[in-house]
Structures are given as C-alpha cells and as structure tokens.
Amino acid sequence: MAKVYGAVTIDTNRCKGCDLCVVSCPADVLLLQPQEVNDRGYHYAYAANPEKCIGCAACATVCPDACIEVYRVVEK
Amino acid sequence: MTQEEIIRPENKVYSRPDLLCDVHTHYCPGCSHGVVHKIIAQVLDEMGVADRTIGIAPVGCAVFAYNYIDVDWIEAAHGRAPALATAANRLNPGRLVFTYQGDGDLSAIGTAETIHACNRGENIAIIFINNAIYGMTGGQMAPTTLLGMKTATTPYGRRADLNGYPLAITPLLAQLDGTCYVTRQAVHTPAAVNKAKRAIRKAFENALAGKGTSVVEVVATCNSGWKMTPAQSNQWMAEHMFEKYPLGDLKDVESKTK
Ligand SMILES: Cc1ncc(C[n+]2csc(CCOP(=O)(O)OP(=O)(O)O)c2C)c(N)n1
Ligand code: SF4
Ligand code: SF4
Ligand code: SF4
Ligand SMILES: [Mg+2]
C-alpha cells in the first residue's frame, strides 16, 4: 500500500481566523490559535496535528484568503 | 518523513495563484467573495489569458476586486457592469471580458442591463455572487432575500405580502436566446469549489470563442449580514438557499454562434 504524507504552510499574517479550513479538514490537522493573534488581531489557523495531514488540499481549496499551500509525497 | 522533507517545491500540489495581488483583502473573514476571487485567478492563470482580460467590477462588497486580481479592470456604476462589458468587448475584439456582480448589483439596480446584455448575446462572462443580501451597505433586503429571512430592512423576516417574492433571475436569463451557458454553483465545500472553478473556465472559454453570454451564479454567503459564523453560514446556505436556488446547469448550448 502506498503511504501518503502531506504538509501545509499557512500565511498566518494573511489568515483571518474564519475557521473554514478547520471544519473542512478530514484529518483533524488544523485548529485556530486559542490565545495567539496575528498583526490584525485574528486567531490564525495552525497545524495542531501536522503528522496526520494527507495533503488533500481541502483546507486550501476553501480558504477565502488563499493563505494555505499544500505539499504531498506518495511513498510507494 | 519530516515536515522539511515534505515541504519541498517538487512536492507542492496547491499554490496561491500568481494573479492574486499580494495584499490583504477588505472582505470579512470567511466571505465567499474571497473564494470566488481565488478561483477566477486560478482559471485566468491556467488559461494564460491574463494579459488580454478585462474585468468589470461592481458596486457592492466586490467594489475593490480591481485591487485583488492582477488584470485590467473597469469600475462600473452600480448595476451597469454588463453595459460596460458590452463596450469593452466590442471595442477590443479578442479580449476576454467578464463582469463580477452581486445580487443587488445584477438583479436589482442592474436588472435592465443584465437582461439586455444577455438578450443581445454579448460575448462576455457574467459572474454573479448571490448572497441574498446587500452586504456592502449593511445587510438590507435584496430581491433575492428568502422569505422569512431577517435583514436590516426586514427585521422580522421577509414577507411576501409586504416585500414580494425572492427573485430567481438566472432561470429568466436561461430563457433568453443570447445566453449559451447558464449555471448555478456554490463554494461551500472543496468539491463545490472545484466544480465552480470548472464552470467559470467554461464561461470564459465561451466568451473568447464568441458563443454568446455565459452566466455563472454562485450561491454565496454573507456571514456578517446573516449574523452567523462563516461555517454556520455555509450550513445555513445548504439547508435554505439551495431549495430556492438549486445548483446545477440551467442551460448549455454547446456550439451556438453569434
Ligand atoms: C446608484 C447607487 N445606488 C445605491 C448605492 C448603494 N449601494 C452600494 S452597494 C449596494 C448593494 C450591494 O449589494 P450586492 O450587489 O448584493 O453586493 P454585496 O455587497 O452583497 O456583495 C447598494 C444598494 C450606490 N452605491 N449607488
Ligand atoms: S491538506 Fe487535507 S489533511 Fe492536510 S491539513 Fe489540509 S485538509 Fe487537512
Ligand atoms: S480558511 Fe484561510 S483565512 Fe480562514 S482560518 Fe483557514 S487559513 Fe485562515
Ligand atoms: S459584508 Fe458580507 S459580502 Fe461583504 S465582505 Fe462581509 S461577509 Fe462578504
Ligand atoms: Mg449581495
């Protein structure tokens, strides 16, 4: 069975903390920062469980501010 | 495998589109406008037509669209985008001309321009963001507002006897001989976003090929106006808006000429 490794990078300064990526992630990777805020005062998204990412790009696809970029490696 | 091993250029599968300007948008967190801007930028990137594209920006929350997607733009007076698009396209043959309009812009103040541009079969694409409200001015009722929906001007909910019925304008546009492609999409899930992107691409290709007017309605949210979180808004939209505004193609005339 091929194993899929994914990873995301999030432009935390552009993020508005809308939560849409968090609810769209099928692997429970993402959360909003509970305390920290960015320059504009938003509780930005971060990968709380990065090792669970499968690189499906659901989060990036729904992000209204195009903050998320996605990487994927398929290991045969 | 470590994050550093995965995050390498050769493994990149989703990038921020090049055509999106490196600025913060003024949109509220979670606003559908941002998602639609992103897929328009992706489609223009993929088609390689950015240098011959003219966008017509509306009045409404998307009034600053010209600051966000790096193509040529003209800013129209409220509702007049299809008239400006007509001129831009006729005077610049070979350009891809599209309008980007809200429901107040397209189906209230701009109804006449919309219907006549579609009826003339102008070779343009119309991207219509239907969030069932006047977002920009503070959430007043629009023609598209659902019955029972609370807005700043219908605080107890829209009533048919007082405020009339919700207007589904795309089925009217689909009846006109000048339209070649009329479709209704949404951007609330990854699958819906990808489908909407394909619809926008088809509309742009039709416009360049001179097939007539294409209309892509995107049933959308205005979470600030609706007074819900972005995620709640998407859910509310799926539960309530799609009944009045069902998704899918309303018309697709494949090889229609002018
Ligand atoms: C001629 C004119 N009339 C009225 C207005 C006020 N106005 C600005 S935006 C708007 C409605 C915008 O609603 P919509 O097109 O649905 O866009 P949204 O903000 O919801 O995306 C109105 C009535 C105006 N700017 N110009
Ligand atoms: S790429 Fe997929 S699995 Fe990874 S964070 Fe985004 S939605 Fe979750
Ligand atoms: S969808 Fe985008 S803007 Fe919204 S919280 Fe996630 S990264 Fe931030
Ligand atoms: S008011 Fe509504 S339409 Fe306008 S930016 Fe905010 S959420 Fe979007
Ligand atoms: Mg609107």
Side-chain angles (χ1 to χ4, degrees):
Chain A
M1 266 286 278
K3 185 140 177 35
V4 181
Y5 298 90
V8 292
T9 58
I10 302 175
D11 185 340
T12 49
N13 240 332
R14 204 187 293 280
C15 173
K16 294 175 182 163
C18 74
D19 208 33
L20 290 179
C21 56
V22 178
V23 300
S24 78
C25 175
D28 291 325
V29 174
L30 306 170
L31 283 177
L32 297 186
Q33 284 285 355
Q35 299 289 335
E36 291 288 303
V37 293
N38 61 18
D39 289 357
R40 293 172 181 241
Y42 292 121
H43 293 280
Y44 54 89
Y46 75 108
N49 302 300
E51 71 291 343
K52 289 189 179 174
C53 180
I54 53 170
C56 68
C59 54
T61 305
V62 299
C63 176
D65 289 278
C67 308
I68 305 180
E69 298 196 314
V70 184
Y71 298 80
R72 184 167 55 218
V73 177
V74 183
E75 214 175 55
K76 309 226 173 52
Chain B
M1 194 170 276
T2 65
Q3 291 283 299
E4 289 68 34
E5 287 169 308
I6 306 170
I7 301 176
R8 286 184 180 159
E10 65 270 24
N11 299 331
K12 203 169 196 186
V13 291
Y14 194 103
S15 309
R16 183 179 163 86
D18 291 340
L19 269 189
L20 278 186
C21 302
D22 188 15
V23 293
H24 292 269
T25 72
H26 71 290
Y27 296 118
C28 304
C31 177
S32 303
H33 279 300
V35 185
V36 183
H37 283 23
K38 182 178 65 177
I39 56 179
I40 288 174
Q42 285 171 336
V43 167
L44 292 173
D45 270 341
E46 287 165 17
M47 289 175 70
V49 292
D51 58 348
R52 53 188 175 114
T53 297
I54 304 172
I56 316 290
V59 168
C61 276
V63 67
F64 295 133
Y66 50 73
N67 286 333
Y68 302 145
I69 304 175
D70 192 13
V71 294
D72 286 342
W73 287 89
I74 306 172
E75 170 56 44
H78 203 7
R80 311 311 185 223
L84 267 188
T86 299
N89 186 52
R90 290 188 178 207
L91 296 172
N92 299 279
R95 300 295 175 103
L96 168 58
V97 179
F98 75 94
T99 73
Y100 185 102
Q101 303 177 258
D103 48 312
D105 195 81
L106 181 143
S107 71
I109 194 167
T111 310
E113 283 76 6
T114 303
I115 288 183
H116 288 291
C118 289
N119 195 48
R120 291 191 305 270
E122 298 297 339
N123 294 315
I124 59 173
I126 294 177
I127 312 297
F128 166 35
I129 311 300
N130 178 9
N131 55 16
I133 206 163
Y134 290 175
M136 183 197 201
T137 42
Q140 294 83 2
M141 191 196 89
T144 44
T145 299
L146 299 180
L147 290 178
M149 197 171 162
K150 290 190 174 126
T151 69
T153 44
T154 56
Y156 305 106
R158 181 176 188 170
R159 271 168 47 190
D161 59 340
L162 194 62
N163 314 114
Y165 294 94
L167 174 62
I169 194 163
T170 33
L172 299 176
L173 302 177
Q175 284 177 36
L176 303 174
D177 292 333
T179 51
C180 60
Y181 177 50
V182 180
T183 186
R184 206 186 265 124
Q185 303 288 330
V187 291
H188 60 314
T189 63
V193 174
N194 290 329
K195 234 177 134 205
K197 187 182 154 193
R198 286 195 293 275
I200 289 171
R201 173 149 191 161
K202 183 167 182 161
F204 285 180
E205 284 171 351
N206 285 345
L208 274 177
K211 289 186 180 174
T213 312
S214 295
V215 182
V216 180
E217 172 174 353
V218 182
V219 184
T221 65
C222 168
N223 62 77
S224 289
W226 295 4
K227 307 204 186 308
M228 298 174 202
T229 68
Q232 286 168 344
S233 299
N234 275 338
Q235 201 178 339
W236 191 90
M237 174 177 74
E239 284 165 10
H240 298 89
M241 295 272 283
F242 296 167
E243 194 184 328
K244 176 70 193 172
Y245 305 113
L247 305 187
D249 288 353
L250 291 91
K251 181 181 193 178
D252 187 3
V253 181
E254 259 314 325
S255 56
K256 193 175 165 300
T257 44
K258 310 177 240 183

